[in-house]
Amino acid sequence: MSTVVGGWKVWSWGERAGVIVLAASVVLLVWAAFQYCGGQDVAFFALFGALVAGITGLGVQVASREARFRRQSRPRRR
């Protein structure tokens, strides 16, 4: 198992995608919150979408990390 902490090299593609989706949803959530607070009632749908995207991104990231840890802990057959 790799003991390297941090860095994009040790992350799988699923982990990277999950973090990118999560970061984009945080930006969308902040923007939509300001729009909704400013009186734009339609921004509620953007708030809801950002929440759903954030939960999905977090789920993808956690599932990919768990899969990588399981693959690394499995003994290799030759």
Side-chain angles (χ1 to χ4, degrees):
M1 182 187 294
S2 176
T3 58
V4 176
V5 177
W8 283 104
K9 264 189 172 175
V10 296
W11 284 23
S12 68
W13 285 105
E15 289 175 286
R16 294 175 193 173
V19 168
I20 290 169
V21 169
L22 185 62
S25 71
V26 167
V27 170
L28 178 62
L29 185 69
V30 169
W31 175 82
F34 278 108
Q35 292 297 319
Y36 186 71
C37 192
Q40 297 290 332
D41 291 337
V42 179
F44 175 77
F45 296 112
L47 282 170
F48 184 71
L51 180 66
V52 169
I55 292 171
T56 302
L58 182 64
V60 167
Q61 201 270 343
V62 169
S64 298
R65 178 166 289 211
E66 184 176 344
R68 180 173 53 92
F69 286 157
R70 286 181 186 222
R71 280 193 307 269
Q72 287 177 348
S73 68
R74 214 175 15 194
R76 294 185 184 221
R77 294 184 200 167
R78 290 196 187 235

